[in-house]
Amino acid sequence: MLEIAVDLLWLRPRKVGGTEFYIRNLLDGFLRLEEPYHLFLLVSKDNRETFLHYTEDDRISLLETEVVSASIAGRILWNFFCQNRFLRKRGIRKCFIPVYCRPLFNGGITYVNVIHDLQAAHYPKYHPFHEIAYSRLCWWLDTHFSRHLVAISDWVRDDVREKYHVGSDRITTIYNPITVNREEMAPFGQLAEKYHVTEKAFYYTVAQLIPHKNLDTLIAVMERIRETETNLPCRLLISGVNGESREKLERQIRERGLEREVTLTGFVENAERNALYHYSRAFLFPSVFEGFGMPAVEAMLFGTVVIATDRACIPEVTQGKANYVKDPYDADAWIEAMRSPADRIAEVDFSRYDQMKLSRMYYELLREYLGQP
């Protein structure tokens, strides 16, 4: 039987963007599996409550540590130097880490890691030196000491193989499971009043407020529409967790006088996000670097046309069915794509993101590399 720890110490609720949705979707999928297993969820003092409901299934239990996930430096030190001993004392020798961080040494534990992207390697200018050093150290450890690796897209897989010379037998692509409840939708009337929007007369995007998400280009697009385009809605809602670009974006909105045109909603619950997906004129995805890009697929699941860049994994994950902007920094190129976007959503194979299919793929992979001999 599969008996493994699952390291969740890195998860700061509502602070880590798409990786949180990914692991919660995956754990929800495991609950629906009929196969025998036992997962020991390695949790921190400040994220424990958000995973407690999983213990209603006898196949899942929590292992609470002294770690505080919000204290990133403390968590990393514990991860490096204490995690192996913690697991060994509890008779656990196998561990799945759904992100790239891991202890410095295996210490008698077999690890499988997931690499979501090599962002700090591609955009070091957006990261302080210590983040770059930590990321590169962990990627090196993953590729040299973890038993197996999972990449969340073929683009990430190929990137890891190229930069770290990983053999094809040591890394497997498994897409992120994507689940949206189409019936979980806030009344649009409430949102129309809250955000001063009308149905199909606003644009929407979901992104962490960090530089490579390229949100400042969309602000420039709204300014250009206000000045020159009477046939396009001049209204944009941006939902997402905070990031280092928030103050910069707020300043740009003020300086351009776009307070009525552009709204940063902050974090929104699923029901509100779903309604904004559904009732927007189009979903704009200006990111220039993604390991997967779940929001674009989620928008398509609600029947909304997506206009996105053609960078990194985005064409792969959207199956070539979005509308792609060749120059992601060119406001005029965005406006041209927004004038008459093609609707090819009916051609999308949504089974590629099916929660049960992908959860079973993870189960089989973990049983192969972390299962009992």
PDB file of all heavy atoms in Angstrom, residues 46-77:
ATOM      1  N   ASP A  46       0.274  27.422  11.134  1.00  0.00           N
ATOM      2  CA  ASP A  46      -0.628  28.411  10.558  1.00  0.00           C
ATOM      3  C   ASP A  46      -1.321  27.968   9.270  1.00  0.00           C
ATOM      4  O   ASP A  46      -2.041  28.759   8.657  1.00  0.00           O
ATOM      5  CB  ASP A  46       0.098  29.743  10.341  1.00  0.00           C
ATOM      6  CG  ASP A  46       1.373  29.615   9.528  1.00  0.00           C
ATOM      7  OD1 ASP A  46       1.909  28.501   9.439  1.00  0.00           O
ATOM      8  OD2 ASP A  46       1.844  30.630   8.987  1.00  0.00           O
ATOM      9  N   ASN A  47      -1.134  26.726   8.844  1.00  0.00           N
ATOM     10  CA  ASN A  47      -1.968  26.245   7.732  1.00  0.00           C
ATOM     11  C   ASN A  47      -2.745  24.980   8.094  1.00  0.00           C
ATOM     12  O   ASN A  47      -3.518  24.463   7.288  1.00  0.00           O
ATOM     13  CB  ASN A  47      -1.157  26.041   6.444  1.00  0.00           C
ATOM     14  CG  ASN A  47      -0.200  24.856   6.476  1.00  0.00           C
ATOM     15  OD1 ASN A  47      -0.331  23.930   7.270  1.00  0.00           O
ATOM     16  ND2 ASN A  47       0.788  24.882   5.590  1.00  0.00           N
ATOM     17  N   ARG A  48      -2.523  24.474   9.304  1.00  0.00           N
ATOM     18  CA  ARG A  48      -3.131  23.216   9.752  1.00  0.00           C
ATOM     19  C   ARG A  48      -4.652  23.209   9.578  1.00  0.00           C
ATOM     20  O   ARG A  48      -5.220  22.233   9.061  1.00  0.00           O
ATOM     21  CB  ARG A  48      -2.778  22.978  11.219  1.00  0.00           C
ATOM     22  CG  ARG A  48      -3.456  21.770  11.841  1.00  0.00           C
ATOM     23  CD  ARG A  48      -3.151  21.659  13.322  1.00  0.00           C
ATOM     24  NE  ARG A  48      -3.774  20.494  13.914  1.00  0.00           N
ATOM     25  CZ  ARG A  48      -5.034  20.456  14.349  1.00  0.00           C
ATOM     26  NH1 ARG A  48      -5.790  21.553  14.239  1.00  0.00           N
ATOM     27  NH2 ARG A  48      -5.542  19.356  14.862  1.00  0.00           N
ATOM     28  N   GLU A  49      -5.316  24.269  10.007  1.00  0.00           N
ATOM     29  CA  GLU A  49      -6.777  24.287   9.992  1.00  0.00           C
ATOM     30  C   GLU A  49      -7.340  24.130   8.587  1.00  0.00           C
ATOM     31  O   GLU A  49      -8.417  23.561   8.401  1.00  0.00           O
ATOM     32  CB  GLU A  49      -7.302  25.586  10.623  1.00  0.00           C
ATOM     33  CG  GLU A  49      -7.049  25.702  12.118  1.00  0.00           C
ATOM     34  CD  GLU A  49      -7.737  24.601  12.906  1.00  0.00           C
ATOM     35  OE1 GLU A  49      -8.895  24.275  12.566  1.00  0.00           O
ATOM     36  OE2 GLU A  49      -7.121  24.075  13.853  1.00  0.00           O
ATOM     37  N   THR A  50      -6.617  24.614   7.583  1.00  0.00           N
ATOM     38  CA  THR A  50      -7.134  24.564   6.220  1.00  0.00           C
ATOM     39  C   THR A  50      -7.067  23.159   5.625  1.00  0.00           C
ATOM     40  O   THR A  50      -7.644  22.916   4.557  1.00  0.00           O
ATOM     41  CB  THR A  50      -6.373  25.544   5.308  1.00  0.00           C
ATOM     42  OG1 THR A  50      -5.026  25.099   5.135  1.00  0.00           O
ATOM     43  CG2 THR A  50      -6.364  26.949   5.901  1.00  0.00           C
ATOM     44  N   PHE A  51      -6.354  22.249   6.296  1.00  0.00           N
ATOM     45  CA  PHE A  51      -6.263  20.856   5.815  1.00  0.00           C
ATOM     46  C   PHE A  51      -6.981  19.874   6.735  1.00  0.00           C
ATOM     47  O   PHE A  51      -7.021  18.679   6.440  1.00  0.00           O
ATOM     48  CB  PHE A  51      -4.788  20.448   5.683  1.00  0.00           C
ATOM     49  CG  PHE A  51      -4.050  21.172   4.601  1.00  0.00           C
ATOM     50  CD1 PHE A  51      -3.146  22.175   4.919  1.00  0.00           C
ATOM     51  CD2 PHE A  51      -4.269  20.882   3.270  1.00  0.00           C
ATOM     52  CE1 PHE A  51      -2.472  22.862   3.929  1.00  0.00           C
ATOM     53  CE2 PHE A  51      -3.601  21.561   2.270  1.00  0.00           C
ATOM     54  CZ  PHE A  51      -2.699  22.566   2.599  1.00  0.00           C
ATOM     55  N   LEU A  52      -7.548  20.366   7.813  1.00  0.00           N
ATOM     56  CA  LEU A  52      -8.136  19.483   8.823  1.00  0.00           C
ATOM     57  C   LEU A  52      -9.281  18.644   8.259  1.00  0.00           C
ATOM     58  O   LEU A  52      -9.465  17.480   8.642  1.00  0.00           O
ATOM     59  CB  LEU A  52      -8.619  20.320  10.006  1.00  0.00           C
ATOM     60  CG  LEU A  52      -9.040  19.563  11.264  1.00  0.00           C
ATOM     61  CD1 LEU A  52      -7.889  18.715  11.798  1.00  0.00           C
ATOM     62  CD2 LEU A  52      -9.519  20.541  12.332  1.00  0.00           C
ATOM     63  N   HIS A  53     -10.053  19.204   7.334  1.00  0.00           N
ATOM     64  CA  HIS A  53     -11.216  18.479   6.821  1.00  0.00           C
ATOM     65  C   HIS A  53     -10.831  17.212   6.064  1.00  0.00           C
ATOM     66  O   HIS A  53     -11.642  16.297   5.931  1.00  0.00           O
ATOM     67  CB  HIS A  53     -12.065  19.380   5.924  1.00  0.00           C
ATOM     68  CG  HIS A  53     -11.380  19.811   4.665  1.00  0.00           C
ATOM     69  ND1 HIS A  53     -10.405  20.790   4.625  1.00  0.00           N
ATOM     70  CD2 HIS A  53     -11.537  19.395   3.375  1.00  0.00           C
ATOM     71  CE1 HIS A  53      -9.994  20.948   3.396  1.00  0.00           C
ATOM     72  NE2 HIS A  53     -10.651  20.121   2.600  1.00  0.00           N
ATOM     73  N   TYR A  54      -9.589  17.123   5.585  1.00  0.00           N
ATOM     74  CA  TYR A  54      -9.170  15.921   4.862  1.00  0.00           C
ATOM     75  C   TYR A  54      -9.104  14.700   5.790  1.00  0.00           C
ATOM     76  O   TYR A  54      -9.176  13.568   5.316  1.00  0.00           O
ATOM     77  CB  TYR A  54      -7.816  16.140   4.197  1.00  0.00           C
ATOM     78  CG  TYR A  54      -7.876  17.061   3.003  1.00  0.00           C
ATOM     79  CD1 TYR A  54      -7.359  18.351   3.079  1.00  0.00           C
ATOM     80  CD2 TYR A  54      -8.458  16.657   1.803  1.00  0.00           C
ATOM     81  CE1 TYR A  54      -7.421  19.205   1.983  1.00  0.00           C
ATOM     82  CE2 TYR A  54      -8.527  17.500   0.720  1.00  0.00           C
ATOM     83  CZ  TYR A  54      -8.008  18.778   0.813  1.00  0.00           C
ATOM     84  OH  TYR A  54      -8.085  19.608  -0.271  1.00  0.00           O
ATOM     85  N   THR A  55      -8.959  14.930   7.066  1.00  0.00           N
ATOM     86  CA  THR A  55      -8.848  13.808   8.002  1.00  0.00           C
ATOM     87  C   THR A  55     -10.183  13.107   8.234  1.00  0.00           C
ATOM     88  O   THR A  55     -10.229  12.087   8.934  1.00  0.00           O
ATOM     89  CB  THR A  55      -8.273  14.278   9.351  1.00  0.00           C
ATOM     90  OG1 THR A  55      -9.152  15.236   9.949  1.00  0.00           O
ATOM     91  CG2 THR A  55      -6.906  14.910   9.168  1.00  0.00           C
ATOM     92  N   GLU A  56     -11.262  13.622   7.665  1.00  0.00           N
ATOM     93  CA  GLU A  56     -12.536  12.897   7.722  1.00  0.00           C
ATOM     94  C   GLU A  56     -12.436  11.591   6.947  1.00  0.00           C
ATOM     95  O   GLU A  56     -13.233  10.669   7.173  1.00  0.00           O
ATOM     96  CB  GLU A  56     -13.655  13.774   7.159  1.00  0.00           C
ATOM     97  CG  GLU A  56     -13.915  15.023   7.993  1.00  0.00           C
ATOM     98  CD  GLU A  56     -14.920  15.950   7.350  1.00  0.00           C
ATOM     99  OE1 GLU A  56     -15.509  15.566   6.298  1.00  0.00           O
ATOM    100  OE2 GLU A  56     -15.129  17.063   7.874  1.00  0.00           O
ATOM    101  N   ASP A  57     -11.487  11.498   6.042  1.00  0.00           N
ATOM    102  CA  ASP A  57     -11.174  10.250   5.350  1.00  0.00           C
ATOM    103  C   ASP A  57     -10.082   9.539   6.149  1.00  0.00           C
ATOM    104  O   ASP A  57      -9.028  10.121   6.434  1.00  0.00           O
ATOM    105  CB  ASP A  57     -10.669  10.549   3.932  1.00  0.00           C
ATOM    106  CG  ASP A  57     -10.557   9.304   3.056  1.00  0.00           C
ATOM    107  OD1 ASP A  57      -9.942   8.313   3.509  1.00  0.00           O
ATOM    108  OD2 ASP A  57     -11.061   9.333   1.914  1.00  0.00           O
ATOM    109  N   ASP A  58     -10.337   8.294   6.522  1.00  0.00           N
ATOM    110  CA  ASP A  58      -9.390   7.545   7.356  1.00  0.00           C
ATOM    111  C   ASP A  58      -8.038   7.349   6.676  1.00  0.00           C
ATOM    112  O   ASP A  58      -7.058   6.995   7.347  1.00  0.00           O
ATOM    113  CB  ASP A  58      -9.976   6.173   7.713  1.00  0.00           C
ATOM    114  CG  ASP A  58     -11.176   6.269   8.637  1.00  0.00           C
ATOM    115  OD1 ASP A  58     -11.297   7.309   9.323  1.00  0.00           O
ATOM    116  OD2 ASP A  58     -11.990   5.322   8.676  1.00  0.00           O
ATOM    117  N   ARG A  59      -7.967   7.572   5.381  1.00  0.00           N
ATOM    118  CA  ARG A  59      -6.718   7.368   4.657  1.00  0.00           C
ATOM    119  C   ARG A  59      -5.786   8.574   4.754  1.00  0.00           C
ATOM    120  O   ARG A  59      -4.680   8.543   4.203  1.00  0.00           O
ATOM    121  CB  ARG A  59      -7.016   7.061   3.188  1.00  0.00           C
ATOM    122  CG  ARG A  59      -7.813   5.780   2.967  1.00  0.00           C
ATOM    123  CD  ARG A  59      -8.211   5.624   1.512  1.00  0.00           C
ATOM    124  NE  ARG A  59      -9.127   6.684   1.081  1.00  0.00           N
ATOM    125  CZ  ARG A  59      -9.573   6.835  -0.167  1.00  0.00           C
ATOM    126  NH1 ARG A  59      -9.167   6.000  -1.121  1.00  0.00           N
ATOM    127  NH2 ARG A  59     -10.405   7.815  -0.468  1.00  0.00           N
ATOM    128  N   ILE A  60      -6.232   9.632   5.438  1.00  0.00           N
ATOM    129  CA  ILE A  60      -5.436  10.859   5.537  1.00  0.00           C
ATOM    130  C   ILE A  60      -5.351  11.294   6.992  1.00  0.00           C
ATOM    131  O   ILE A  60      -6.348  11.316   7.710  1.00  0.00           O
ATOM    132  CB  ILE A  60      -6.040  11.986   4.678  1.00  0.00           C
ATOM    133  CG1 ILE A  60      -6.061  11.582   3.195  1.00  0.00           C
ATOM    134  CG2 ILE A  60      -5.271  13.284   4.865  1.00  0.00           C
ATOM    135  CD1 ILE A  60      -6.650  12.624   2.279  1.00  0.00           C
ATOM    136  N   SER A  61      -4.151  11.634   7.422  1.00  0.00           N
ATOM    137  CA  SER A  61      -3.954  12.176   8.769  1.00  0.00           C
ATOM    138  C   SER A  61      -2.968  13.330   8.697  1.00  0.00           C
ATOM    139  O   SER A  61      -2.213  13.468   7.731  1.00  0.00           O
ATOM    140  CB  SER A  61      -3.458  11.091   9.727  1.00  0.00           C
ATOM    141  OG  SER A  61      -2.281  10.480   9.235  1.00  0.00           O
ATOM    142  N   LEU A  62      -2.972  14.165   9.729  1.00  0.00           N
ATOM    143  CA  LEU A  62      -2.085  15.319   9.778  1.00  0.00           C
ATOM    144  C   LEU A  62      -0.888  15.049  10.669  1.00  0.00           C
ATOM    145  O   LEU A  62      -1.002  14.408  11.710  1.00  0.00           O
ATOM    146  CB  LEU A  62      -2.823  16.554  10.310  1.00  0.00           C
ATOM    147  CG  LEU A  62      -4.048  17.059   9.542  1.00  0.00           C
ATOM    148  CD1 LEU A  62      -4.491  18.409  10.110  1.00  0.00           C
ATOM    149  CD2 LEU A  62      -3.783  17.169   8.049  1.00  0.00           C
ATOM    150  N   LEU A  63       0.257  15.574  10.250  1.00  0.00           N
ATOM    151  CA  LEU A  63       1.448  15.601  11.088  1.00  0.00           C
ATOM    152  C   LEU A  63       1.807  17.073  11.290  1.00  0.00           C
ATOM    153  O   LEU A  63       2.350  17.722  10.396  1.00  0.00           O
ATOM    154  CB  LEU A  63       2.613  14.874  10.402  1.00  0.00           C
ATOM    155  CG  LEU A  63       2.557  13.354  10.290  1.00  0.00           C
ATOM    156  CD1 LEU A  63       3.775  12.838   9.550  1.00  0.00           C
ATOM    157  CD2 LEU A  63       2.485  12.723  11.673  1.00  0.00           C
ATOM    158  N   GLU A  64       1.474  17.601  12.472  1.00  0.00           N
ATOM    159  CA  GLU A  64       1.728  19.011  12.719  1.00  0.00           C
ATOM    160  C   GLU A  64       3.155  19.217  13.205  1.00  0.00           C
ATOM    161  O   GLU A  64       3.638  18.510  14.087  1.00  0.00           O
ATOM    162  CB  GLU A  64       0.750  19.579  13.735  1.00  0.00           C
ATOM    163  CG  GLU A  64       0.927  21.069  13.953  1.00  0.00           C
ATOM    164  CD  GLU A  64      -0.106  21.670  14.879  1.00  0.00           C
ATOM    165  OE1 GLU A  64      -1.070  20.956  15.246  1.00  0.00           O
ATOM    166  OE2 GLU A  64       0.041  22.854  15.242  1.00  0.00           O
ATOM    167  N   THR A  65       3.815  20.201  12.639  1.00  0.00           N
ATOM    168  CA  THR A  65       5.182  20.539  13.017  1.00  0.00           C
ATOM    169  C   THR A  65       5.190  21.842  13.815  1.00  0.00           C
ATOM    170  O   THR A  65       4.151  22.470  14.024  1.00  0.00           O
ATOM    171  CB  THR A  65       6.057  20.708  11.765  1.00  0.00           C
ATOM    172  OG1 THR A  65       5.634  21.892  11.074  1.00  0.00           O
ATOM    173  CG2 THR A  65       5.924  19.504  10.834  1.00  0.00           C
ATOM    174  N   GLU A  66       6.388  22.255  14.237  1.00  0.00           N
ATOM    175  CA  GLU A  66       6.542  23.536  14.923  1.00  0.00           C
ATOM    176  C   GLU A  66       6.721  24.684  13.937  1.00  0.00           C
ATOM    177  O   GLU A  66       6.888  25.832  14.342  1.00  0.00           O
ATOM    178  CB  GLU A  66       7.754  23.472  15.861  1.00  0.00           C
ATOM    179  CG  GLU A  66       7.597  22.482  17.004  1.00  0.00           C
ATOM    180  CD  GLU A  66       6.408  22.834  17.899  1.00  0.00           C
ATOM    181  OE1 GLU A  66       6.281  24.033  18.269  1.00  0.00           O
ATOM    182  OE2 GLU A  66       5.607  21.937  18.192  1.00  0.00           O
ATOM    183  N   VAL A  67       6.692  24.380  12.671  1.00  0.00           N
ATOM    184  CA  VAL A  67       6.941  25.379  11.640  1.00  0.00           C
ATOM    185  C   VAL A  67       5.783  26.377  11.556  1.00  0.00           C
ATOM    186  O   VAL A  67       4.617  26.017  11.696  1.00  0.00           O
ATOM    187  CB  VAL A  67       7.138  24.685  10.272  1.00  0.00           C
ATOM    188  CG1 VAL A  67       7.196  25.704   9.136  1.00  0.00           C
ATOM    189  CG2 VAL A  67       8.393  23.840  10.291  1.00  0.00           C
ATOM    190  N   VAL A  68       6.129  27.641  11.303  1.00  0.00           N
ATOM    191  CA  VAL A  68       5.160  28.673  10.942  1.00  0.00           C
ATOM    192  C   VAL A  68       5.437  29.034   9.482  1.00  0.00           C
ATOM    193  O   VAL A  68       6.497  29.579   9.171  1.00  0.00           O
ATOM    194  CB  VAL A  68       5.290  29.914  11.843  1.00  0.00           C
ATOM    195  CG1 VAL A  68       4.341  31.019  11.381  1.00  0.00           C
ATOM    196  CG2 VAL A  68       5.024  29.546  13.297  1.00  0.00           C
ATOM    197  N   SER A  69       4.518  28.702   8.607  1.00  0.00           N
ATOM    198  CA  SER A  69       4.764  28.880   7.176  1.00  0.00           C
ATOM    199  C   SER A  69       5.001  30.332   6.802  1.00  0.00           C
ATOM    200  O   SER A  69       5.732  30.626   5.849  1.00  0.00           O
ATOM    201  CB  SER A  69       3.594  28.313   6.367  1.00  0.00           C
ATOM    202  OG  SER A  69       3.521  26.910   6.521  1.00  0.00           O
ATOM    203  N   ALA A  70       4.376  31.244   7.529  1.00  0.00           N
ATOM    204  CA  ALA A  70       4.558  32.663   7.242  1.00  0.00           C
ATOM    205  C   ALA A  70       5.991  33.116   7.491  1.00  0.00           C
ATOM    206  O   ALA A  70       6.441  34.107   6.914  1.00  0.00           O
ATOM    207  CB  ALA A  70       3.591  33.499   8.071  1.00  0.00           C
ATOM    208  N   SER A  71       6.702  32.388   8.346  1.00  0.00           N
ATOM    209  CA  SER A  71       8.118  32.673   8.580  1.00  0.00           C
ATOM    210  C   SER A  71       8.929  31.864   7.580  1.00  0.00           C
ATOM    211  O   SER A  71       9.338  30.734   7.847  1.00  0.00           O
ATOM    212  CB  SER A  71       8.516  32.302  10.017  1.00  0.00           C
ATOM    213  OG  SER A  71       9.899  32.452  10.205  1.00  0.00           O
ATOM    214  N   ILE A  72       9.155  32.436   6.403  1.00  0.00           N
ATOM    215  CA  ILE A  72       9.742  31.680   5.308  1.00  0.00           C
ATOM    216  C   ILE A  72      11.149  31.200   5.647  1.00  0.00           C
ATOM    217  O   ILE A  72      11.505  30.043   5.395  1.00  0.00           O
ATOM    218  CB  ILE A  72       9.741  32.517   4.017  1.00  0.00           C
ATOM    219  CG1 ILE A  72       8.294  32.833   3.611  1.00  0.00           C
ATOM    220  CG2 ILE A  72      10.452  31.783   2.884  1.00  0.00           C
ATOM    221  CD1 ILE A  72       8.171  33.754   2.417  1.00  0.00           C
ATOM    222  N   ALA A  73      11.957  32.062   6.234  1.00  0.00           N
ATOM    223  CA  ALA A  73      13.326  31.665   6.581  1.00  0.00           C
ATOM    224  C   ALA A  73      13.325  30.526   7.585  1.00  0.00           C
ATOM    225  O   ALA A  73      14.097  29.558   7.454  1.00  0.00           O
ATOM    226  CB  ALA A  73      14.097  32.859   7.138  1.00  0.00           C
ATOM    227  N   GLY A  74      12.461  30.604   8.587  1.00  0.00           N
ATOM    228  CA  GLY A  74      12.379  29.533   9.585  1.00  0.00           C
ATOM    229  C   GLY A  74      11.918  28.227   8.976  1.00  0.00           C
ATOM    230  O   GLY A  74      12.427  27.148   9.323  1.00  0.00           O
ATOM    231  N   ARG A  75      10.981  28.321   8.065  1.00  0.00           N
ATOM    232  CA  ARG A  75      10.485  27.114   7.398  1.00  0.00           C
ATOM    233  C   ARG A  75      11.582  26.468   6.566  1.00  0.00           C
ATOM    234  O   ARG A  75      11.748  25.240   6.578  1.00  0.00           O
ATOM    235  CB  ARG A  75       9.284  27.476   6.521  1.00  0.00           C
ATOM    236  CG  ARG A  75       8.563  26.278   5.904  1.00  0.00           C
ATOM    237  CD  ARG A  75       9.017  25.998   4.496  1.00  0.00           C
ATOM    238  NE  ARG A  75       8.732  27.116   3.610  1.00  0.00           N
ATOM    239  CZ  ARG A  75       9.171  27.195   2.374  1.00  0.00           C
ATOM    240  NH1 ARG A  75       9.952  26.239   1.878  1.00  0.00           N
ATOM    241  NH2 ARG A  75       8.891  28.249   1.610  1.00  0.00           N
ATOM    242  N   ILE A  76      12.348  27.269   5.849  1.00  0.00           N
ATOM    243  CA  ILE A  76      13.416  26.723   5.013  1.00  0.00           C
ATOM    244  C   ILE A  76      14.473  26.030   5.871  1.00  0.00           C
ATOM    245  O   ILE A  76      14.923  24.926   5.542  1.00  0.00           O
ATOM    246  CB  ILE A  76      14.053  27.844   4.157  1.00  0.00           C
ATOM    247  CG1 ILE A  76      13.061  28.305   3.086  1.00  0.00           C
ATOM    248  CG2 ILE A  76      15.346  27.358   3.504  1.00  0.00           C
ATOM    249  CD1 ILE A  76      13.530  29.530   2.309  1.00  0.00           C
ATOM    250  N   LEU A  77      14.857  26.656   6.975  1.00  0.00           N
ATOM    251  CA  LEU A  77      15.861  26.047   7.855  1.00  0.00           C
ATOM    252  C   LEU A  77      15.361  24.725   8.418  1.00  0.00           C
ATOM    253  O   LEU A  77      16.101  23.738   8.494  1.00  0.00           O
ATOM    254  CB  LEU A  77      16.232  27.017   8.979  1.00  0.00           C
ATOM    255  CG  LEU A  77      17.047  28.248   8.544  1.00  0.00           C
ATOM    256  CD1 LEU A  77      17.191  29.219   9.701  1.00  0.00           C
ATOM    257  CD2 LEU A  77      18.408  27.823   8.013  1.00  0.00           C
TER     258      LEU A  77
END
